[in-house]
């Protein structure tokens, strides 16, 4: 028992011997020091206590405020700092030396609209409860401003002039604040050149660029040195921007103080306040900060100088209005485009029963695809279309692009009336459509192609020449259609371009005249604004070269040529001086008229009918319009209802030379390229201006 007690006593003594010197040293040495270096704040979040709008951003920057109105933010090192030293044997206390260094950035809303500023603060608490924004800098408020119980000391970096004490304050300054936001000392923001210490360089705190600040307080001399300079400066200025004795500090500093920053914005004066890095040392010298070791500064997004908030508001408002207008315009254009795609109607277009919708035609022709083209003729391109999948609903769409759409209204009025023509030997015009600069005429689709292709194309569809019966039936059918146009409808319609390519042959080998009436519109100049003679060389009546006045008699002349052509299987003109009616006439005069019959028929034809057809053809080709028979007569002759009258062999020509001229007079041969179902025009033009573009 005794040994145990003595052992414990010994250990206790040993323990005391070991520990007492340590404790003694602690009490005799100075208060503990605080020293830290924060190269950015990421990873040190726990060291920093942020309040209100302050935050540590992921990029390592400490942001005290953003540029919102009337916000404040504070950030304090979360451990207290001992700054008071009690001298031996004295109740007197002194503030010990300290040193701090930090790099900050102030990004104003615009260069004249930054604010309010920020501070480096010694505070008895790591937060500033009740502190106001704006000129109170997140440090104090109206009630406690100036009270000695505050125990706050702040070095303010103020960018706004005109706190309550008015004119004596200047914007862009550094101030020393003791318990109050009224600065005891304030200096403009300058740094001293290292080469010439008398030269002050002033610069803007709210430049958006990093600024280095150094605060050094010497407790012995009670002097506070403040040095601020743009962080991109080569070397730190030796002479401080501000060097003042601050004995008052000893009345403010308490046993435990917190060090940190506060910042605030006003309602209009708004800046984002950032701290990039911070070092502090109590009793020693703060570790110098090297900006290249700090996080990247925040992007300088300050707006251009000189825009007041009103101007900005105006710009924002105008931009908004502009965007809305643009959006409206955009939708209007889209709408208009859709309307056009559909059909943009002029008022007069609306009440036409034959007007078709472009949309439907577009769909029917597969968007006017090239493989739908079944012919290109004088007046335009012809497309095959199908309204439904059934083949009976096939249509032919002729697309005409005139030089100008002036006169379109009259043109369409004519088309409308032509649309009412109905005859088994006519190609029905189903309707029309005006789309932008195009006129679209919609016809029945006639499957067998044109008479032209049946007469001449090699190899022929059937592999055989058109039989006589079919030829004769076709000749009578055409005559019947022309008669309808000339006499049987409510008004006289002159075809003006009777020729094989304008005769389509349907399933029953029934001829259908196409493109009737259109030529008139050209002739009258409705579309071309020039008066032109329309027709095709070889089929044009001789009087048309003297006056361009078409009549039913000139149609009869064309029909006569066509009739001879059907029988002879020979084109009315060739490159030389050949003219079919002249040739047939010569044969007629020499009593060998049947030699004119298409030799490909061999003997497979009715001689009587052939002779009749040739003679009627010659009769129709009479030089004098009045001497030509009417279509009614022609049909009667062909049907054998009436005998063909005798006629003089000279056809009313004064001499032979003039008549052999007819074919070559125009020096132009039809350029009709229509190859398929829908007939198209060839226009022989006397005027030199073009009827249509693209020709
Ligand atoms: C900051 O964080 C780094 C890494 O996490 C650490 O080494 C350093 O001690 C911290 N600084 C302070 C002052 O705590
Ligand atoms: C303060 O106290 C220490 C030891 O306690 C002594 O060495 C020192 O001289 C004293 N200083 C003054 C100024 O009295
Ligand atoms: C402390 O100061 C008092 C007078 O203020 C003096 O009487 C005393 O001797 C001093 N003690 C030491 C240890 O210096
Ligand atoms: C203590 O403070 C008073 C007044 O501030 C001063 O006169 C005196 O010399 C100081 N004493 C010491 C030991 O510093
Ligand atoms: C403060 O600045 C003055 C003048 O440049 C200098 O003499 C003094 O040593 C500086 N004090 C500190 C604590 O840096
Ligand atoms: C404070 O100033 C005194 C006198 O000029 C000097 O001896 C001392 O080293 C300075 N202390 C610091 C921390 O600069
Ligand atoms: C800062 O750091 C960079 C690279 O880390 C170095 O090159 C430069 O000398 C340093 N500057 C100072 C003033 O220490």
């Amino acid at each position: 028992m005794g040994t145990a007690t003595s052992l414990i006593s010994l250990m206790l003594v040993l323990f005391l011997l070991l520990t007492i010197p340590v404790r003694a040293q602690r009490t005799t040495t100075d208060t503990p020091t605080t020293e830290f270096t924060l190269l950015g704040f990421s990873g040190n979040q726990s060291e920093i206590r942020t309040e209100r709008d302050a935050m540590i951003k992921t990029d390592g920057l400490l942001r005290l405020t953003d540029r919102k109105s009337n916000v404040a933010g504070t950030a304090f090192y979360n451990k207290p700092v001992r700054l008071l030293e009690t001298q031996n044997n004295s109740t007197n206390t002194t503030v010990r030396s300290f040193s701090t260094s930090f790099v900050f950035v102030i990004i104003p809303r615009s260069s004249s609209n930054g604010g309010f500023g920020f501070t480096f603060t010694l505070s008895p608490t790591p937060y500033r409860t009740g502190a106001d924004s704006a000129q109170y800098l997140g440090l104090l408020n109206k009630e406690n401003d100036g009270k000695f119980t505050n125990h706050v000391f702040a070095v303010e970096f103020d960018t706004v002039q005109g706190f309550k004490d008015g004119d004596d304050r200047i914007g862009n300054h550094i101030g020393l604040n003791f318990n109050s936001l009224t600065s005891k000392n304030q200096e403009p923001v300058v740094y001293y050149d290292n080469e010439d210490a008398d030269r002050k360089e002033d610069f803007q705190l709210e430049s958006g660029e990093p600024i280095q600040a150094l605060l050094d307080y010497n407790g012995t001399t009670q002097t506070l040195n403040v040095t601020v300079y743009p962080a991109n400066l080569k070397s730190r200025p030796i002479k401080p921007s501000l060097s003042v004795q601050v004995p008052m500090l000893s009345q403010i500093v308490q046993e435990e103080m917190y060090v940190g920053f506060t910042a605030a914005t006003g309602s209009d004066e708004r800046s984002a306040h950032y701290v990039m890095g911070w070092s502090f040392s109590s009793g020693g010298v703060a570790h110098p900060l090297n900006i290249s070791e700090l996080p990247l500064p925040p992007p300088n997004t300050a707006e251009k100088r000189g825009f007041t908030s009103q101007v900005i508001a105006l710009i924002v408002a105008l931009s908004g209005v502009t965007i809305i207008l643009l959006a409206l315009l955009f939708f209007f254009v889209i709408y208009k485009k859709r309307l056009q795609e559909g059909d943009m109607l002029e008022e007069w277009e609306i009440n036409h029963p034959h007007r078709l919708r472009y949309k439907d035609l577009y769909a029917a022709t597969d968007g006017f695809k090239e493989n739908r083209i079944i012919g290109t003729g004088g007046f335009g391109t012809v497309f095959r279309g199908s309204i439904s999948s059934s083949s009976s609903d096939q249509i032919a769409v002729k697309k005409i692009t005139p030089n100008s759409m002036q006169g379109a209204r009259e043109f369409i009025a004519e088309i409308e009336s032509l649309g009412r023509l109905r005859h088994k030997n006519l190609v029905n015009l189903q309707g029309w459509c005006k789309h932008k600069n195009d006129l679209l005429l919609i016809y029945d689709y006639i499957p067998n192609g044109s008479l032209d292709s049946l007469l001449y194309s090699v190899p022929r569809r059937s592999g055989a020449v058109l039989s006589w019966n079919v030829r004769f039936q076709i000749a009578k059918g055409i005559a019947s259609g022309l008669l309808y146009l000339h006499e049987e409808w409510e008004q006289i319609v002159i075809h003006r371009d009777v020729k094989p390519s304008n005769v389509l042959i349907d399933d029953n080998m029934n001829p259908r005249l196409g493109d009737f009436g259109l030529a008139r519109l050209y002739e009258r100049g409705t579309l071309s604004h020039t008066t032109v003679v329309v027709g095709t060389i070889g089929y044009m009546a001789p009087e048309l070269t003297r006056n361009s006045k078409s009549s039913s008699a000139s149609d009869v002349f064309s029909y006569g040529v066509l009739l001879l052509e059907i029988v002879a299987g020979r084109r009315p003109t060739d490159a030389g001086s050949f003219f079919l009616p002249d040739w047939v006439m010569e044969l007629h005069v020499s009593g060998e008229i049947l030699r004119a019959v298409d030799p490909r028929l061999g003997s497979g034809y009715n001689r009587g009918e052939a002779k009749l057809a040739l003679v009627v053809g010659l009769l129709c080709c009479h030089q004098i319009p009045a001497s030509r028979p009417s279509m009614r007569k022609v049909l009667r002759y062909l049907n054998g209802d009436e005998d063909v009258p005798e006629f003089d062999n000279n056809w009313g020509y004064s001499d032979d030379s003039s008549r052999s001229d007819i074919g070559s007079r125009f020096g132009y041969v039809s350029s009709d390229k229509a190859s398929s179902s829908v007939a198209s025009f060839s226009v022989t033009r006397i005027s030199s201006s073009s009827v249509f573009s693209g020709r």
Side-chain angles (χ1 to χ4, degrees), residues 18-28:
L18 282 168
T19 52
I20 281 168
V22 178
R23 287 175 64 95
Q25 198 183 345
R26 277 201 143 197
T27 47
T28 54

Side-chain angles (χ1 to χ4, degrees), residues 15-290:
F15 177 73
L16 285 174
L17 280 172
L18 282 168
T19 52
I20 281 168
V22 178
R23 287 175 64 95
Q25 198 183 345
R26 277 201 143 197
T27 47
T28 54
T29 51
D30 290 343
T31 44
T33 61
T34 302
E35 195 161 341
F36 59 82
T37 302
L38 299 170
L39 305 173
F41 295 86
S42 50
N44 295 98
Q45 283 93 337
S46 59
E47 320 289 331
I48 301 295
R49 175 169 176 156
T50 55
E51 295 282 332
R52 300 172 73 171
D53 277 62
M55 63 178 289
I56 290 168
K57 298 190 55 183
T58 49
D59 55 11
L61 296 176
L62 167 61
R63 192 189 70 193
L64 295 164
T65 69
D66 57 11
R67 287 182 286 182
K68 291 203 203 89
S69 280
N70 287 313
V71 292
T74 62
F76 285 91
Y77 188 65
N78 69 354
K79 293 189 202 93
V81 179
R82 301 250 176 189
L83 285 177
L84 271 190
E85 282 183 318
T86 309
Q87 302 292 330
N88 285 359
N89 194 29
S90 158
T91 54
N92 281 5
T93 55
T94 57
V95 176
R96 74 196 285 199
S97 300
F98 66 87
S99 164
T100 188
S101 172
F102 49 89
V103 177
F104 65 92
V105 180
I106 300 176
I107 303 174
R109 192 157 65 104
S110 72
S111 35
S112 59
N113 263 307
F116 246 89
F118 95 114
T119 70
F120 173 80
T121 293
L122 303 181
S123 162
T125 53
Y127 44 82
R128 299 300 310 156
T129 309
D132 276 342
S133 58
Q135 67 266 32
Y136 295 101
L137 300 178
L139 185 66
L140 295 169
N141 59 38
K142 200 172 172 200
E143 276 68 47
N144 63 16
D145 182 42
K147 296 212 167 127
F148 70 91
T149 51
N150 289 333
H151 289 285
V152 292
F153 167 72
V155 178
E156 69 167 43
F157 299 84
D158 200 345
T159 56
V160 176
Q161 178 182 8
F163 182 46
K164 62 179 182 188
D165 45 358
D167 296 344
D168 63 319
R169 274 172 76 105
I170 45 174
N172 199 49
H173 66 261
I174 303 166
L176 303 184
N177 300 352
F178 303 88
N179 291 327
S180 165
L181 281 155
T182 308
S183 303
K184 197 120 189 112
N185 310 79
Q186 63 176 7
E187 291 292 331
V189 178
V190 294
Y191 68 88
Y192 288 91
D193 198 271
N194 277 346
E195 259 103 72
D196 176 6
D198 287 337
R199 210 168 91 214
K200 286 195 257 187
E201 302 282 353
D202 55 298
F203 63 99
Q204 291 292 317
L205 289 174
E206 52 178 26
S207 61
E209 302 299 325
I211 289 165
Q212 177 117 35
L214 306 168
L215 269 58
D216 293 295
Y217 176 74
N218 186 324
T220 311
T221 59
Q222 296 184 322
T223 306
L224 177 69
N225 284 1
V226 179
T227 312
V228 284
Y229 58 97
N232 60 8
L233 218 61
K234 285 267 179 328
S235 55
R236 103 168 241 191
I238 294 161
K239 188 176 174 185
S241 310
L242 184 67
S243 179
V244 280
Q245 278 221 304
V246 285
M248 264 182 84
L249 208 52
S250 57
Q251 293 165 28
I252 285 171
V253 172
Q254 294 186 315
E255 196 75 13
E256 289 194 333
M257 294 299 272
Y258 290 85
V259 291
F261 307 95
T262 75
T265 65
S267 52
D268 274 340
E269 299 90 342
R270 282 146 32 200
S271 296
H273 299 90
Y274 289 90
V275 182
M276 292 166 62
W278 181 24
S279 64
F280 182 89
S281 172
S282 61
V285 176
H287 190 274
L289 294 177
N290 185 335

Side-chain angles (χ1 to χ4, degrees), residues 332-406:
F332 178 70
V333 165
I334 294 281
Y335 174 72
K336 241 186 113 169
K337 208 173 142 79
R338 290 200 60 165
L339 256 189
Q340 273 185 357
E341 228 83 285
D343 280 334
M344 199 170 56
L345 294 184
E346 288 172 34
E347 207 179 316
W348 57 266
E349 293 182 55
I350 290 164
N351 290 320
H352 287 299
H354 291 102
R355 191 183 62 77
L356 300 181
R357 295 200 305 169
Y358 181 75
K359 213 173 75 182
D360 299 339
L361 299 178
Y362 190 86
T365 56
D366 233 351
F368 295 97
K369 266 213 184 113
E370 237 168 70
N371 61 9
R372 294 301 196 103
I373 294 178
I374 49 178
T376 3
F379 288 167
T381 308
V382 185
F383 298 85
R384 183 175 56 81
S386 36
I387 288 171
S388 68
S389 51
S390 114
S391 62
S392 63
D393 284 333
Q394 303 252 67
I395 52 168
V397 181
K398 174 168 283 199
K399 190 174 186 181
I400 304 175
T401 307
N403 274 347
S404 121
M405 286 302 279
Q406 281 185 320

